Amino acid sequence: MANITVSSSPLVSVNVTSCVNPYGVQRRFERSLTISALKLKLELVSGGTAQNMKLTILNSDNVKVCTLDNDEAVLGSYPVDDDMVLHVEDPNLKPDEFMDVSKVEKYEISDDAYAKRTDSVRAFKERNKLGRFNEEEMKKKEEEAKLKEEAEEEKAKTMKLDDRCEVRVPGQPSRRGCVKYLGITDFKPGIWVGVQYDEPFGKNDGSTGGKRYFECPPKYGGFVRPSHVEVGDFPEEDFDLDEM
């Protein structure tokens, strides 16, 4: 029988795997541990129970080296070297048992209970007067939003139905068409302009969200804010589509 050389290092680093975690997790154990004590430590790592465990040592090529089959023996009495695999088998473990998040109960907390916590993100923002908890900043934002909406309403007053227009949305090419709707909508607050484009560059046929605001062919209709619309002498452009 060939002689087996056992390392004298007091610690050994192994990759602990199981059917639950085939990728493994690196752990260091004292060689003076009995196999019985080792199994107790592996309960936290593998999810198995000590009395049901069967421990196998594999080398880097996934070839079996030995079985840790004597609970009274110490780990150092087996030919276990650093970076070997310690595979845990337990008949009660199921593959991917701890990977199925559908079985995890969702944690929920009431608004009142959350408001009373002192270690939450909300509590942090309140202490530091951030976001909506900064009254001065929120008031400033509300005033800016009010002024912007008033400007949109004033711009809309310069338009009327069937006005020729050019839509100029930042970052997009300008598009010409006719104003077909002016007013509030159900899909977003504020004043909106419904435009029938000269070309099928729109997103709808004058209806959106199940409500019709004006009539036009599919893909010719769109809604934009008044600030992006200029009315005036914008004749329909001739793209010479019939010429070769």
Side-chain angles (χ1 to χ4, degrees):
M1 182 176 179
N3 292 326
I4 297 176
T5 302
V6 180
S7 172
S8 59
S9 173
L11 297 173
V12 62
S13 178
V14 294
N15 189 37
V16 181
T17 65
S18 68
C19 64
V20 173
N21 182 9
Y23 302 104
V25 57
Q26 203 75 15
R27 288 290 183 271
R28 299 178 71 187
F29 298 108
E30 295 179 359
R31 293 182 183 275
S32 60
L33 276 175
T34 64
I35 301 306
S36 178
L38 174 63
K39 287 180 178 179
L40 290 175
K41 289 182 176 293
L42 290 171
E43 285 185 337
L44 297 176
V45 179
S46 67
T49 54
Q51 61 267 31
N52 295 324
M53 284 183 190
K54 178 181 177 182
L55 307 181
T56 304
I57 298 296
L58 309 171
N59 63 19
S60 58
D61 295 323
N62 211 34
V63 176
K64 179 179 176 180
V65 174
C66 63
T67 300
L68 308 184
D69 52 4
N70 184 351
D71 286 349
E72 301 304 318
V74 295
L75 179 60
S77 65
Y78 290 92
V80 183
D81 291 325
D82 287 340
D83 300 323
M84 283 187 172
V85 174
L86 195 169
H87 185 69
V88 179
E89 294 181 51
D90 186 329
N92 294 321
L93 288 178
K94 298 177 181 179
D96 300 327
E97 182 176 12
F98 301 112
M99 302 295 181
D100 187 358
V101 295
S102 66
K103 298 179 181 179
V104 180
E105 183 177 354
K106 182 180 179 182
Y107 177 75
E108 295 183 352
I109 185 172
S110 67
D111 290 339
D112 290 340
Y114 183 70
K116 294 177 182 178
R117 295 191 61 159
T118 59
D119 59 348
S120 65
V121 174
R122 175 176 175 172
F124 175 81
K125 290 184 175 180
E126 285 180 338
R127 288 194 300 270
N128 294 278
K129 298 186 181 301
L130 300 175
R132 63 188 178 93
F133 299 105
N134 187 327
E135 294 184 4
E136 184 177 342
E137 181 182 343
M138 292 303 295
K139 184 177 181 181
K140 181 180 178 181
K141 287 184 177 181
E142 290 175 359
E143 291 176 350
E144 290 176 350
K146 183 179 179 181
L147 290 174
K148 183 177 180 180
E149 194 55 43
E150 288 177 352
E152 296 284 5
E153 292 175 0
E154 289 300 315
K155 184 67 180 294
K157 291 178 181 178
T158 66
M159 309 173 193
K160 62 182 183 298
L161 297 183
D162 294 325
D163 273 349
R164 288 292 301 173
C165 67
E166 187 170 78
V167 176
R168 304 167 184 171
V169 178
Q172 299 180 14
S174 61
R175 293 167 290 180
R176 292 185 179 184
C178 289
V179 175
K180 292 296 183 181
Y181 179 82
L182 285 168
I184 60 174
T185 66
D186 290 343
F187 56 84
K188 279 187 178 179
I191 301 294
W192 289 81
V193 182
V195 177
Q196 177 177 335
Y197 295 111
D198 295 339
E199 298 294 322
F201 299 142
K203 295 183 178 180
N204 53 60
D205 62 352
S207 65
T208 184
K211 182 174 179 179
R212 178 164 297 283
Y213 296 91
F214 62 94
E215 297 275 355
C216 76
K219 301 295 184 181
Y220 278 76
F223 292 89
V224 289
R225 296 290 271 162
S227 57
H228 295 151
V229 181
E230 292 294 332
V231 297
D233 184 18
F234 296 107
E236 187 171 348
E237 295 178 310
D238 184 5
F239 294 98
D240 295 327
L241 297 179
D242 294 331
E243 294 185 7
M244 296 296 293

